[in-house]
Each structure stands twice: as structure tokens, then as C-alpha cells.
Amino acid sequence: MQGTLALSWRILANKSFSSSSMTPLVCLDRPDIWCPAPSPSEVSSHLTHDYNEHTAAEINGRSIANEIKATLATQVSNMKNSINKVPGLGVILVGKRKDSRTFVRIKKKACEQVGIASVVTELPDDCTESEVLDAVSMLNHNESIHGILVQLPLPNHLCEEKIINSVKVEKDVDGFHPVNMGNLAMRGREPLFIPCASLGCIEVLNRCSVEILEASCYNVGVPNLVRSHWLKPGVVVIDMGSTLVKNSSDVCGDVCYEEAMHKASAITPVPGGVGPVTISMLLSNTLEAAKRAYQWTQKS
């Protein structure tokens, strides 16, 4: 899915914003939780500098995510008070990969923080493709589940494309269904959901007032691959990489952080950068799916 994320990032960067005003060129039907352009004081609250030497401002993804989750929690509470319903997220976890289990645990905790109900279906490494498809089908037909997430990567013997395609497009909160990806790529069409990682990058840059026209972002999954001599002076680095260090619980990004800090103007750390915002986008997409399913708005 790394190529998919890079593609959706490029489409969003070029399709959605102008270079001068950050105003969307086409309507992306943003969720209600998205805030207008932040004031300078709000921008600075997400950035920290070390003025003793030239270092990049560190973008605090956790503070951005917390702001989003606070607004989400209010909306979920309002939905529950209004119609006695809450959004539901169904997660399918195949195998015992340590990183996948960690990510699912973090997502489940984030759901609890905002009041979204979550269900995790666990399957063994050697499960059949039919068993995974059956698990997806059960969630597709469960009316209390509004979003479905298949935790990637899957074991090699499973067809990732076939399984992702089996998710009901109305519940594809990861934004990977071909209908959502196709509509994202085509001019004049809007996807039901935008991939969370790409959406998280856009949200981080938007809140920090960074121009993004023709910008590029790639996730290769190779720790410290990007060195300082690759970077232009003053670049803003959004590190989407997240790899567990061998024999450790530490997580490392694709960018050599210590080097990039002395070349970039701003950078997201790993962990604590775009990751928490990406999870907030998953929660936002799940709430949007529930709103559509119940035809509920704040005024309902």
C-alpha cells in the first residue's frame, strides 16, 4: 500500500489546494471536525524551536491529534444523546506481527477516547483467504459497524487486493477501495473517504500553514533512508515512515531525523508526528460513515 499512499498524497497535493491561499480548488466534502485555517498563534503552538543553533521546528502531531479528537468526542456524544447511536469500527487483524498488533491496540484506544465502539476480529497467520473474506462479510452486514479496517500488511499467501476490494465502499474508512481511489484521482468526482495517512499529512501541513502545491511525499519503510544531502535547505519534512527497530520497542522513521533537523525548516518526529493525526483521520472517517448511515447531522 506504500505506492497507494504516495499516489493519493500527490493527487491531494495537486488537486485540493492552491499555492497562494491554501483554498480548495474543488470541494472535498470535508468532515465537520476540520477547522478553518489556524491563526498564527495556533500554528506556533504546534511548532517548537531550539534557538541555540539552526534546527528545524518540530511539528507536534500529538497536540494536533488531541485537538481533533476533542472535537470528535463532542460530536460522538451529541450523536449518542440525539439518536442513542455511536459510530462503530470493525478491525480485522491477521497473524501475530508485533507492529500490526501495536497499531491495532493504539487505534482501539483512540476509539475509546472519543466514544467510538470498536470490534477486533483476530485470525491466525495460516488462516485461509475465505476465512478473511467471511470476516469482512460479517462486518459488511453488521449495521452497528460503520467503518472497516483490514490491518496491513497481510501474510503473503493472502491476496491483499481481493480482500480490500471486498470491503463495502460505504465502510471503507481506510480509503483504499478502488472506487474511492478512482474517484479521488478523477477530476469532478469525490471519494466517500480519503486514505487516512495522506489526509493526515494534508491536515498537518494545513494547520502549520505550509504551501503544498506540487509537493511530494513517499513512504518506503526503510529506517533512516533519507539523509540530509537529499534535502533542500528550508524544506518541510513530513515523515510517514514507521518501522519497529529490531530487538527493541522503538519506532524509526524513513528520514534520518538528527541530520534533517539541521537542514529542514520544520519536521515531524517519529513517533509523535503524522502518526497520531493519521489515526484521528481514521476516527473522523468512521464518524462520517456513521453520519451517512444514520442520516444524522449536528442539527438532527
Side-chain angles (χ1 to χ4, degrees):
M1 284 298 170
Q2 292 169 358
T4 300
L5 292 177
L7 171 64
S8 57
W9 161 259
R10 291 196 302 272
I11 292 169
L12 278 172
N14 290 283
K15 177 179 180 181
S16 311
F17 302 94
S18 68
S19 59
S20 59
S21 64
M22 298 292 289
T23 302
L25 297 178
V26 293
C27 176
L28 280 180
D29 189 25
R30 287 182 169 182
D32 293 340
I33 67 130
W34 287 44
C35 301
S39 67
S41 61
E42 291 173 322
V43 171
S44 63
S45 69
H46 301 309
L47 304 175
T48 56
H49 292 268
D50 180 358
Y51 292 102
N52 294 324
E53 58 176 321
H54 172 69
T55 56
E58 186 177 86
I59 300 173
N60 190 333
R62 288 193 176 99
S63 71
I64 295 173
N66 287 339
E67 289 177 3
I68 296 170
K69 285 191 290 186
T71 308
L72 274 173
T74 299
Q75 292 203 25
V76 171
S77 177
N78 290 343
M79 174 183 283
K80 184 176 182 179
N81 292 335
S82 174
I83 60 175
N84 199 30
K85 302 284 186 181
V86 298
L89 176 67
V91 180
I92 294 177
L93 175 61
V94 181
K96 301 291 185 181
R97 281 182 61 116
K98 185 177 179 181
D99 54 351
S100 292
R101 299 183 74 82
T102 297
F103 293 145
V104 168
R105 184 172 64 252
I106 292 171
K107 291 167 185 175
K108 186 173 178 62
K109 182 179 178 181
C111 285
E112 293 171 356
Q113 289 173 337
V114 302
I116 292 177
S118 63
V119 176
V120 179
T121 301
E122 296 191 38
L123 297 170
D125 278 297
D126 60 353
C127 68
T128 65
E129 194 169 276
S130 294
E131 289 176 313
V132 182
L133 291 172
D134 287 344
V136 173
S137 179
M138 288 183 65
L139 294 175
N140 278 337
H141 291 91
N142 187 335
E143 294 184 357
S144 67
I145 297 296
H146 309 97
I148 299 174
L149 168 69
V150 179
Q151 184 63 44
L152 303 177
L154 295 172
N156 292 334
H157 70 283
L158 300 174
C159 178
E160 189 174 282
E161 180 182 359
K162 185 176 182 180
I163 292 169
I164 294 298
N165 291 358
S166 71
V167 174
K168 212 173 179 182
V169 67
E170 295 88 353
K171 299 187 178 188
D172 172 42
V173 289
D174 239 354
F176 289 158
H177 192 283
V179 171
N180 282 321
M181 290 300 299
N183 284 341
L184 177 62
M186 296 181 70
R187 186 180 298 276
R189 296 190 184 184
E190 298 302 325
L192 289 176
F193 305 103
I194 296 170
C196 303
S198 300
L199 198 55
C201 289
I202 297 295
E203 183 71 0
V204 167
L205 294 172
N206 216 15
R207 285 179 181 252
C208 293
S209 297
V210 177
E211 293 188 0
I212 59 174
L213 187 68
E214 299 180 358
S216 300
C217 183
Y218 296 90
N219 172 23
V220 294
V222 180
N224 295 321
L225 173 69
V226 180
R227 309 301 294 270
S228 63
H229 64 274
W230 292 25
L231 305 175
K232 295 179 180 179
V235 70
V236 176
V237 176
I238 305 296
D239 193 345
M240 296 174 67
S242 182
T243 305
L244 279 176
V245 179
K246 274 191 175 183
N247 303 317
S248 170
S249 60
D250 294 335
V251 178
C252 187
D254 291 347
V255 179
C256 185
Y257 183 84
E258 290 74 15
E259 293 183 4
M261 279 290 288
H262 301 289
K263 196 75 169 285
S265 61
I267 187 172
T268 57
V270 177
V274 75
V277 185
T278 296
I279 292 173
S280 294
M281 294 298 99
L282 172 66
L283 304 180
S284 175
N285 281 351
T286 302
L287 174 58
E288 287 303 303
K291 286 181 179 180
R292 293 189 187 111
Y294 295 133
Q295 296 183 339
W296 181 86
T297 65
Q298 287 281 34
K299 297 179 181 179
S300 296

